[in-house]
Amino acid sequence: MKKIKICHLYGNLLNTYGDVGNVMAYAHEARKNGYEVEIDTVSIGDFFDWEKYNFVFFGGGQDYEQRIVQSDLLEKKLNIKKYIENNGVFLAICGGYQLLGQYYYDAYNKKINGLNIFNHYTVNQENGKRFTGPVKIKDCNSGKIYEGFENHGGVTYLSENQNEFGTVIDGNGNNGTDKTEGFRYKNTIGTYLHGPLLARNEELCKDLLKLSIENVNDN
Ligand code: GLN
């Protein structure tokens, strides 16, 4: 039987608002399609085997946990980059999305270094303000509509060479001003949408699984 191998990056630390539900929804969809599923939590001190996985999930977190993972994350940078460049399917939500970029200034205005694989950067809103509430976006590639909710103090700005994941219809998205939501590069998506996103938006779950299946080997 063919197997889908899932990596839940820092699943024991970064998992706000039930983000693990994305892994569960994805695994469920894979089983429905006749695949066996293996899920590894890859966390502090663990080797990230970039050639092993068909799907990597990197969830959201409180500032505290984001700070804990930052140095370990940098040790995994090379392999994460290889996975992404090799068209690996990668979904990063909120805190995970922020950490794929250059940096995140937390609620105390202290800098947390990101992986710097992508050029987006995140600063905090003044006076502890947070963006909370429902979000609706339109996928820039497919035109599909996704729903979720956001809860972030950080506001993110994309660089000119980055494409947003979606356009904001309702809610705030990356920064509340430019209508961009998340980013997409190859098969990597960063987004602020909790939900869990893949449980609330079955179409997206199916599309990501399809992309993974294209890369599955018999083993
Ligand atoms: N701590 C980050 C922020 O407040 C990320 C929050 C999250 O992942 N839910 O912006």
Side-chain angles (χ1 to χ4, degrees):
M1 195 182 197
K2 287 188 178 182
K3 213 185 221 184
I4 289 278
K5 293 170 192 147
I6 301 174
C7 166
H8 192 179
L9 214 45
Y10 305 102
N12 55 344
L13 290 162
L14 298 175
N15 180 29
T16 43
Y17 318 119
D19 276 343
V20 67
N22 289 291
V23 173
M24 293 164 79
Y26 189 89
H28 176 71
E29 193 58 39
R31 289 190 189 101
K32 250 178 32 189
N33 280 269
Y35 288 85
E36 205 181 311
V37 174
E38 182 183 327
I39 304 171
D40 294 340
T41 298
V42 174
S43 192
I44 305 279
D46 298 334
F47 176 67
F48 172 66
D49 181 356
W50 70 275
E51 289 173 301
K52 176 173 177 183
Y53 298 107
N54 312 107
F55 178 56
V56 174
F57 179 71
F58 191 17
Q62 316 295 342
D63 291 1
Y64 181 74
E65 283 85 10
Q66 285 178 280
R67 184 167 295 285
I68 290 174
V69 306
Q70 71 172 328
S71 54
D72 185 84
L73 193 57
L74 292 175
E75 288 171 26
K76 295 180 173 52
K77 173 170 175 169
L78 215 64
N79 283 355
I80 292 176
K81 199 169 158 52
K82 282 184 190 162
Y83 177 84
I84 290 170
E85 289 297 341
N86 200 41
N87 296 313
V89 182
F90 193 117
L91 177 62
I93 308 280
C94 205
Y97 161 39
Q98 294 170 344
L99 290 174
L100 285 178
Q102 297 184 58
Y103 54 79
Y104 163 54
Y105 274 91
D106 72 10
Y108 297 100
N109 221 22
K110 286 206 177 126
K111 190 178 183 183
I112 297 178
N113 288 313
L115 278 165
N116 204 11
I117 293 177
F118 298 100
N119 287 331
H120 60 274
Y121 61 92
T122 306
V123 293
N124 228 272
Q125 301 181 65
E126 279 171 21
N127 308 319
K129 206 179 145 213
R130 298 185 72 79
F131 286 146
T132 58
V135 206
K136 194 190 272 188
I137 65 167
K138 182 175 179 179
D139 186 319
C140 291
N141 283 358
S142 68
K144 290 177 184 169
I145 306 292
Y146 309 131
E147 292 185 358
F149 72 90
E150 57 188 340
N151 189 341
H152 51 113
V155 284
T156 299
Y157 297 94
L158 302 180
S159 68
E160 277 182 11
N161 61 3
Q162 282 182 290
N163 295 321
E164 63 264 40
F165 171 46
T167 306
V168 175
I169 298 171
D170 286 327
N172 295 287
N174 281 340
N175 49 53
T177 52
D178 65 14
K179 295 275 177 207
T180 64
E181 207 303 304
F183 85 101
R184 183 170 193 146
Y185 171 77
K186 293 189 171 184
N187 293 330
T188 294
I189 293 169
T191 173
Y192 273 113
L193 266 67
H194 296 284
L197 179 66
L198 299 187
R200 275 186 75 170
N201 301 278
E202 202 184 345
E203 278 293 308
L204 179 62
C205 189
K206 286 181 176 167
D207 289 347
L208 293 188
L209 180 68
K210 227 179 269 167
L211 288 173
S212 292
I213 288 172
E214 287 167 13
N215 303 324
V216 177
N217 311 312
D218 270 306
N219 52 16

PDB file of all heavy atoms in Angstrom, residues 16-17 60-63 66 93-95 98 104 130 151-154 194, ligand 1:
ATOM      1  N   THR A  16      -1.500  26.454  18.029  1.00  0.00           N
ATOM      2  CA  THR A  16      -2.590  27.281  18.576  1.00  0.00           C
ATOM      3  C   THR A  16      -3.915  26.964  17.900  1.00  0.00           C
ATOM      4  O   THR A  16      -3.944  26.579  16.729  1.00  0.00           O
ATOM      5  CB  THR A  16      -2.304  28.789  18.373  1.00  0.00           C
ATOM      6  OG1 THR A  16      -1.797  28.976  17.072  1.00  0.00           O
ATOM      7  CG2 THR A  16      -1.333  29.314  19.403  1.00  0.00           C
ATOM      8  N   TYR A  17      -4.982  27.171  18.629  1.00  0.00           N
ATOM      9  CA  TYR A  17      -6.353  27.054  18.105  1.00  0.00           C
ATOM     10  C   TYR A  17      -6.594  25.760  17.337  1.00  0.00           C
ATOM     11  O   TYR A  17      -7.233  25.749  16.290  1.00  0.00           O
ATOM     12  CB  TYR A  17      -6.689  28.270  17.226  1.00  0.00           C
ATOM     13  CG  TYR A  17      -6.195  29.557  17.821  1.00  0.00           C
ATOM     14  CD1 TYR A  17      -5.272  30.346  17.168  1.00  0.00           C
ATOM     15  CD2 TYR A  17      -6.641  29.947  19.097  1.00  0.00           C
ATOM     16  CE1 TYR A  17      -4.793  31.513  17.746  1.00  0.00           C
ATOM     17  CE2 TYR A  17      -6.168  31.104  19.674  1.00  0.00           C
ATOM     18  CZ  TYR A  17      -5.245  31.883  19.005  1.00  0.00           C
ATOM     19  OH  TYR A  17      -4.770  33.011  19.569  1.00  0.00           O
ATOM     20  N   GLY A  60       0.698  27.521  14.147  1.00  0.00           N
ATOM     21  CA  GLY A  60       0.830  28.801  14.834  1.00  0.00           C
ATOM     22  C   GLY A  60       1.274  28.629  16.282  1.00  0.00           C
ATOM     23  O   GLY A  60       1.259  27.522  16.826  1.00  0.00           O
ATOM     24  N   GLY A  61       1.689  29.734  16.898  1.00  0.00           N
ATOM     25  CA  GLY A  61       2.154  29.642  18.286  1.00  0.00           C
ATOM     26  C   GLY A  61       2.092  30.969  18.997  1.00  0.00           C
ATOM     27  O   GLY A  61       1.972  32.030  18.379  1.00  0.00           O
ATOM     28  N   GLN A  62       2.167  30.884  20.314  1.00  0.00           N
ATOM     29  CA  GLN A  62       2.321  32.097  21.114  1.00  0.00           C
ATOM     30  C   GLN A  62       3.750  32.594  20.912  1.00  0.00           C
ATOM     31  O   GLN A  62       4.642  31.825  20.552  1.00  0.00           O
ATOM     32  CB  GLN A  62       2.110  31.791  22.609  1.00  0.00           C
ATOM     33  CG  GLN A  62       0.938  30.898  22.924  1.00  0.00           C
ATOM     34  CD  GLN A  62      -0.394  31.539  22.564  1.00  0.00           C
ATOM     35  OE1 GLN A  62      -0.464  32.750  22.388  1.00  0.00           O
ATOM     36  NE2 GLN A  62      -1.427  30.732  22.441  1.00  0.00           N
ATOM     37  N   ASP A  63       3.960  33.878  21.217  1.00  0.00           N
ATOM     38  CA  ASP A  63       5.311  34.442  21.092  1.00  0.00           C
ATOM     39  C   ASP A  63       6.321  33.584  21.862  1.00  0.00           C
ATOM     40  O   ASP A  63       7.440  33.366  21.404  1.00  0.00           O
ATOM     41  CB  ASP A  63       5.343  35.866  21.682  1.00  0.00           C
ATOM     42  CG  ASP A  63       4.536  36.861  20.846  1.00  0.00           C
ATOM     43  OD1 ASP A  63       3.953  36.453  19.829  1.00  0.00           O
ATOM     44  OD2 ASP A  63       4.501  38.043  21.248  1.00  0.00           O
ATOM     45  N   GLN A  66       7.311  30.580  19.965  1.00  0.00           N
ATOM     46  CA  GLN A  66       8.045  30.988  18.752  1.00  0.00           C
ATOM     47  C   GLN A  66       9.509  31.290  19.103  1.00  0.00           C
ATOM     48  O   GLN A  66      10.414  30.951  18.359  1.00  0.00           O
ATOM     49  CB  GLN A  66       7.400  32.223  18.126  1.00  0.00           C
ATOM     50  CG  GLN A  66       6.112  31.921  17.385  1.00  0.00           C
ATOM     51  CD  GLN A  66       5.484  33.192  16.814  1.00  0.00           C
ATOM     52  OE1 GLN A  66       4.836  33.940  17.528  1.00  0.00           O
ATOM     53  NE2 GLN A  66       5.664  33.442  15.541  1.00  0.00           N
ATOM     54  N   ILE A  93       0.998  28.061   9.135  1.00  0.00           N
ATOM     55  CA  ILE A  93      -0.082  28.927   9.622  1.00  0.00           C
ATOM     56  C   ILE A  93       0.463  29.932  10.644  1.00  0.00           C
ATOM     57  O   ILE A  93       1.219  29.549  11.550  1.00  0.00           O
ATOM     58  CB  ILE A  93      -1.186  28.083  10.314  1.00  0.00           C
ATOM     59  CG1 ILE A  93      -1.679  26.927   9.437  1.00  0.00           C
ATOM     60  CG2 ILE A  93      -2.354  28.968  10.798  1.00  0.00           C
ATOM     61  CD1 ILE A  93      -2.682  27.275   8.371  1.00  0.00           C
ATOM     62  N   CYS A  94       0.063  31.155  10.526  1.00  0.00           N
ATOM     63  CA  CYS A  94       0.261  32.204  11.527  1.00  0.00           C
ATOM     64  C   CYS A  94       1.710  32.251  12.053  1.00  0.00           C
ATOM     65  O   CYS A  94       2.585  32.695  11.338  1.00  0.00           O
ATOM     66  CB  CYS A  94      -0.772  32.006  12.641  1.00  0.00           C
ATOM     67  SG  CYS A  94      -1.155  33.517  13.542  1.00  0.00           S
ATOM     68  N   GLY A  95       1.963  31.793  13.265  1.00  0.00           N
ATOM     69  CA  GLY A  95       3.326  31.841  13.821  1.00  0.00           C
ATOM     70  C   GLY A  95       4.322  31.131  12.918  1.00  0.00           C
ATOM     71  O   GLY A  95       5.454  31.588  12.725  1.00  0.00           O
ATOM     72  N   GLN A  98       4.968  33.335   9.943  1.00  0.00           N
ATOM     73  CA  GLN A  98       5.858  34.438  10.303  1.00  0.00           C
ATOM     74  C   GLN A  98       7.322  33.976  10.314  1.00  0.00           C
ATOM     75  O   GLN A  98       8.218  34.667   9.841  1.00  0.00           O
ATOM     76  CB  GLN A  98       5.479  34.989  11.678  1.00  0.00           C
ATOM     77  CG  GLN A  98       4.115  35.664  11.724  1.00  0.00           C
ATOM     78  CD  GLN A  98       3.645  35.992  13.136  1.00  0.00           C
ATOM     79  OE1 GLN A  98       4.189  35.473  14.119  1.00  0.00           O
ATOM     80  NE2 GLN A  98       2.633  36.837  13.238  1.00  0.00           N
ATOM     81  N   TYR A 104      10.243  38.430  13.194  1.00  0.00           N
ATOM     82  CA  TYR A 104       8.961  38.793  13.800  1.00  0.00           C
ATOM     83  C   TYR A 104       9.271  39.591  15.059  1.00  0.00           C
ATOM     84  O   TYR A 104      10.016  39.114  15.920  1.00  0.00           O
ATOM     85  CB  TYR A 104       8.175  37.511  14.124  1.00  0.00           C
ATOM     86  CG  TYR A 104       7.025  37.696  15.098  1.00  0.00           C
ATOM     87  CD1 TYR A 104       6.027  38.651  14.856  1.00  0.00           C
ATOM     88  CD2 TYR A 104       6.924  36.925  16.257  1.00  0.00           C
ATOM     89  CE1 TYR A 104       4.979  38.828  15.747  1.00  0.00           C
ATOM     90  CE2 TYR A 104       5.871  37.093  17.150  1.00  0.00           C
ATOM     91  CZ  TYR A 104       4.907  38.046  16.893  1.00  0.00           C
ATOM     92  OH  TYR A 104       3.875  38.234  17.778  1.00  0.00           O
ATOM     93  N   ARG A 130      -4.558  43.399  18.440  1.00  0.00           N
ATOM     94  CA  ARG A 130      -4.514  42.146  17.689  1.00  0.00           C
ATOM     95  C   ARG A 130      -5.621  42.135  16.641  1.00  0.00           C
ATOM     96  O   ARG A 130      -6.665  42.761  16.837  1.00  0.00           O
ATOM     97  CB  ARG A 130      -4.728  40.941  18.617  1.00  0.00           C
ATOM     98  CG  ARG A 130      -3.681  40.779  19.693  1.00  0.00           C
ATOM     99  CD  ARG A 130      -3.916  39.492  20.477  1.00  0.00           C
ATOM    100  NE  ARG A 130      -3.600  38.280  19.729  1.00  0.00           N
ATOM    101  CZ  ARG A 130      -2.379  37.811  19.554  1.00  0.00           C
ATOM    102  NH1 ARG A 130      -1.335  38.455  20.059  1.00  0.00           N
ATOM    103  NH2 ARG A 130      -2.176  36.698  18.873  1.00  0.00           N
ATOM    104  N   ASN A 151      -6.079  35.434  14.500  1.00  0.00           N
ATOM    105  CA  ASN A 151      -5.783  35.953  15.833  1.00  0.00           C
ATOM    106  C   ASN A 151      -4.286  36.198  15.914  1.00  0.00           C
ATOM    107  O   ASN A 151      -3.516  35.316  16.256  1.00  0.00           O
ATOM    108  CB  ASN A 151      -6.220  34.947  16.909  1.00  0.00           C
ATOM    109  CG  ASN A 151      -6.139  35.550  18.295  1.00  0.00           C
ATOM    110  OD1 ASN A 151      -5.444  36.556  18.496  1.00  0.00           O
ATOM    111  ND2 ASN A 151      -6.820  34.949  19.239  1.00  0.00           N
ATOM    112  N   HIS A 152      -3.888  37.404  15.509  1.00  0.00           N
ATOM    113  CA  HIS A 152      -2.452  37.698  15.486  1.00  0.00           C
ATOM    114  C   HIS A 152      -2.150  39.140  15.852  1.00  0.00           C
ATOM    115  O   HIS A 152      -2.880  40.056  15.459  1.00  0.00           O
ATOM    116  CB  HIS A 152      -1.834  37.353  14.118  1.00  0.00           C
ATOM    117  CG  HIS A 152      -2.535  37.926  12.914  1.00  0.00           C
ATOM    118  ND1 HIS A 152      -1.969  38.882  12.119  1.00  0.00           N
ATOM    119  CD2 HIS A 152      -3.740  37.647  12.349  1.00  0.00           C
ATOM    120  CE1 HIS A 152      -2.798  39.175  11.111  1.00  0.00           C
ATOM    121  NE2 HIS A 152      -3.885  38.439  11.237  1.00  0.00           N
ATOM    122  N   GLY A 153      -1.058  39.295  16.610  1.00  0.00           N
ATOM    123  CA  GLY A 153      -0.584  40.627  16.953  1.00  0.00           C
ATOM    124  C   GLY A 153       0.340  41.127  15.854  1.00  0.00           C
ATOM    125  O   GLY A 153       0.497  42.325  15.636  1.00  0.00           O
ATOM    126  N   GLY A 154       0.980  40.207  15.153  1.00  0.00           N
ATOM    127  CA  GLY A 154       1.929  40.558  14.103  1.00  0.00           C
ATOM    128  C   GLY A 154       1.228  41.029  12.841  1.00  0.00           C
ATOM    129  O   GLY A 154       0.149  40.534  12.496  1.00  0.00           O
ATOM    130  N   HIS A 194      -6.519  30.340  10.666  1.00  0.00           N
ATOM    131  CA  HIS A 194      -6.808  29.191  11.523  1.00  0.00           C
ATOM    132  C   HIS A 194      -8.191  28.692  11.125  1.00  0.00           C
ATOM    133  O   HIS A 194      -8.899  29.331  10.340  1.00  0.00           O
ATOM    134  CB  HIS A 194      -6.834  29.612  12.995  1.00  0.00           C
ATOM    135  CG  HIS A 194      -5.513  30.110  13.493  1.00  0.00           C
ATOM    136  ND1 HIS A 194      -4.467  29.271  13.798  1.00  0.00           N
ATOM    137  CD2 HIS A 194      -5.078  31.365  13.751  1.00  0.00           C
ATOM    138  CE1 HIS A 194      -3.436  29.992  14.219  1.00  0.00           C
ATOM    139  NE2 HIS A 194      -3.776  31.267  14.197  1.00  0.00           N
TER     140      HIS A 194
HETATM  141  N1  GLN B   1       2.383  35.089  18.210  1.00  0.00           N
HETATM  142  C1  GLN B   1       2.086  35.471  16.877  1.00  0.00           C
HETATM  143  C2  GLN B   1       1.240  36.718  16.816  1.00  0.00           C
HETATM  144  O1  GLN B   1       0.588  37.060  17.775  1.00  0.00           O
HETATM  145  C3  GLN B   1       1.411  34.332  16.149  1.00  0.00           C
HETATM  146  C4  GLN B   1       0.043  34.004  16.663  1.00  0.00           C
HETATM  147  C5  GLN B   1      -0.491  32.687  16.193  1.00  0.00           C
HETATM  148  O2  GLN B   1       0.230  31.855  15.658  1.00  0.00           O
HETATM  149  N2  GLN B   1      -1.736  32.445  16.433  1.00  0.00           N
HETATM  150  O3  GLN B   1       1.197  37.373  15.797  1.00  0.00           O
END
